[in-house]
């Protein structure tokens, strides 16, 4: 049957790139170029709530080339949990939060390149973006957690890691919430602690 999943991002050529500077720390910045043609393509893409689709699409190679060197520098020499924490705090603080209703007037999940392009993002955008970073930079298995009115991320670490978690197929996934500002790996949003989440595999 027809599927909206993309196995690769279309290579849309063009010189109309948009630049954005992201801050990863006091002295760490990355200049990221976003392909406006790709943004236009995503703008016409059928909107849906298949959160795994947005994560699986990943980032464009152009965006990665601008962003990933800074992130590699930030996590160099760190263990898995330390690196995951650095990436988590980066997503928590590098982007401004705003609900879709306020920014777009309608619910609208963003592909990762769109999150770099638009001025604001919300919980599902951050969780999808973080899941991409963890898979690409740390090589760890990630799932998304769809709570009532909220989306978070959960990571399966190789070593035993303490904190709020879920058990999926006898495997422990530690909750990492890129919308819960200041929270570390293993700290779930307090309002979600007594809620049941639907697990979204990527």
């Amino acid at each position: 049957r027809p599927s909206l999943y993309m196995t690769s991002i279309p290579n849309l050529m063009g010189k109309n790139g948009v630049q954005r500077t992201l801050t990863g720390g006091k002295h760490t910045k990355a200049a990221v170029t976003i392909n406006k043609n790709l943004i236009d393509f995503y703008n016409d893409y059928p909107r849906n709530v298949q959160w795994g689709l947005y994560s699986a699409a990943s980032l464009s190679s152009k965006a990665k080339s601008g962003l990933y060197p800074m992130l590699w520098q930030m996590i160099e020499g760190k263990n898995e949990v330390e690196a995951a924490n650095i990436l988590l705090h980066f997503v928590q603080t590098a982007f401004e939060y705003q609900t879709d209703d306020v920014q777009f007037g309608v619910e609208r999940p963003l592909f990762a390149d769109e999150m770099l392009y638009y001025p604001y993002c919300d919980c599902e955008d951050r969780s999808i973006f973080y899941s991409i970073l963890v898979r690409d930079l740390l090589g760890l298995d990630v799932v998304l957690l769809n709570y009532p009115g909220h989306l978070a991320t959960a990571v399966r670490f190789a070593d035993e890691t303490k904190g709020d978690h879920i058990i999926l197929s006898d495997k422990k996934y530690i909750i990492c919430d890129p919308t819960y500002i200041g929270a570390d790996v293993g700290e779930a949003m307090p309002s979600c602690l007594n809620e049941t989440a639907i697990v979204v595999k990527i």
Side-chain angles (χ1 to χ4, degrees):
R1 63 180 183 177
S3 173
L4 291 173
Y5 272 76
M6 289 182 287
T7 56
S8 63
I9 294 176
N11 184 19
L12 301 174
M13 306 299 289
K15 296 182 179 180
N16 54 342
V18 178
Q19 280 229 329
R20 180 174 184 181
T21 300
L22 295 174
T23 302
K26 291 183 179 179
H27 307 291
T28 313
K29 294 184 178 181
V32 182
T33 300
I34 305 103
N35 185 333
K36 183 59 168 58
N37 290 337
L38 181 60
I39 299 302
D40 292 340
F41 169 79
Y42 284 147
N43 194 47
D44 292 330
Y45 208 79
R47 296 290 156 180
N48 61 87
V49 292
Q50 298 181 54
W51 311 120
L53 177 155
Y54 294 89
S55 180
S58 192
L59 273 163
S60 67
S61 58
K62 189 73 172 177
K64 288 180 181 180
S65 67
L67 178 61
Y68 281 14
M70 177 187 76
L71 297 180
W72 278 119
Q73 180 182 346
M74 292 168 59
I75 65 176
E76 184 179 9
K78 308 298 184 183
N79 64 37
E80 284 182 351
V81 175
E82 291 171 338
N85 252 331
I86 290 170
L87 297 177
L88 183 63
H89 295 155
F90 168 73
V91 179
Q92 288 172 352
T93 58
F95 303 95
E96 293 290 330
Y97 179 87
Q98 190 59 270
T99 63
D100 288 336
D101 283 344
V102 174
Q103 181 169 210
F104 300 112
V106 67
E107 179 64 27
R108 176 177 174 168
L110 298 178
F111 286 95
D113 282 73
E114 290 184 295
M115 183 162 152
L116 294 172
Y117 177 77
Y118 291 106
Y120 305 107
C121 58
D122 64 6
C123 63
E124 72 259 16
D125 309 320
R126 292 175 179 226
S127 294
I128 289 164
F129 197 90
Y130 181 69
S131 73
I132 293 169
L133 299 186
V134 170
R135 291 201 325 272
D136 283 358
L137 301 176
L138 304 183
L140 299 176
D141 186 26
V142 182
V143 296
L144 300 172
L145 302 179
N146 186 11
Y147 294 98
H150 185 62
L151 200 73
T153 316
V155 180
R156 185 187 173 209
F157 293 98
D159 298 326
E160 176 62 26
T161 304
K162 296 180 179 180
D164 299 323
H165 63 276
I166 63 164
I167 302 297
L168 181 63
S169 300
D170 296 323
K171 297 172 183 176
K172 185 177 180 181
Y173 287 76
I174 303 296
I175 296 173
C176 305
D177 197 323
T179 307
Y180 186 15
I181 306 300
D184 288 331
V185 164
E187 293 185 58
M189 189 85 74
S191 60
C192 296
L193 287 174
N194 295 318
E195 298 285 354
T196 300
I198 298 173
V199 176
V200 180
K201 295 182 179 180
I202 301 166

